[in-house]
Structures are given as C-alpha cells and as structure tokens.
C-alpha cells in the first residue's frame, strides 16, 4: 500500500510564479498524506503550481530560475 507520512507537518516547496521563468520557495502545511497525495493545510491556494520533484539547491535558496 501507500507509505503514510507523519501528520501535520511543514515542508518547503518551490511555487511557480505565474507569467515568469521563476519559482519561489514557500512553506506549505501538509495534513493527511500518502506517497501520491497530500492534504494542503496552508501556504498554497487552489490553482498554485509547485515543483514536486527534488530541487538540488541549498536550503537558503529562496528563488530559482527555470530552464
């Protein structure tokens, strides 16, 4: 079955900036989750697009440019 993640935690994701080639790091509150789906509790609104794959940059990086 799906691997369950810990309940109610905060993760750091990159949110795409509409109309640009950039993404900004945001803190996202995650509720119930499986390996494929997650309940978004805070930090995003409907329609926001995020990068869900690993982004290999230092934790202090707040903004990235997409190729």
């Amino acid at each position: 079955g799906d691997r369950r993640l810990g309940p109610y935690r905060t993760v750091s994701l990159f949110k795409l900036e509409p109309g640009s080639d950039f993404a900004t790091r945001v803190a996202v509150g995650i509720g119930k989750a499986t390996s494929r789906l997650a309940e978004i509790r805070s930090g995003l609104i409907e329609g926001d697009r995020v990068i869900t794959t690993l982004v290999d940059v230092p934790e202090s990086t707040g903004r990235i440019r997409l190729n």
Side-chain angles (χ1 to χ4, degrees), residues 13-14 49-55:
L13 298 175
F14 281 95
R49 296 177 62 204
V50 296
I51 299 172
T52 58
T53 57
L54 178 64
V55 178

Side-chain angles (χ1 to χ4, degrees), residues 34-63:
T34 67
S35 60
R36 295 186 46 136
L37 300 171
E39 173 190 25
I40 304 303
R41 309 265 309 172
S42 64
L44 297 173
I45 60 171
E46 186 173 339
D48 282 347
R49 296 177 62 204
V50 296
I51 299 172
T52 58
T53 57
L54 178 64
V55 178
D56 191 18
V57 297
E59 190 66 31
S60 61
T61 303
R63 192 172 190 234

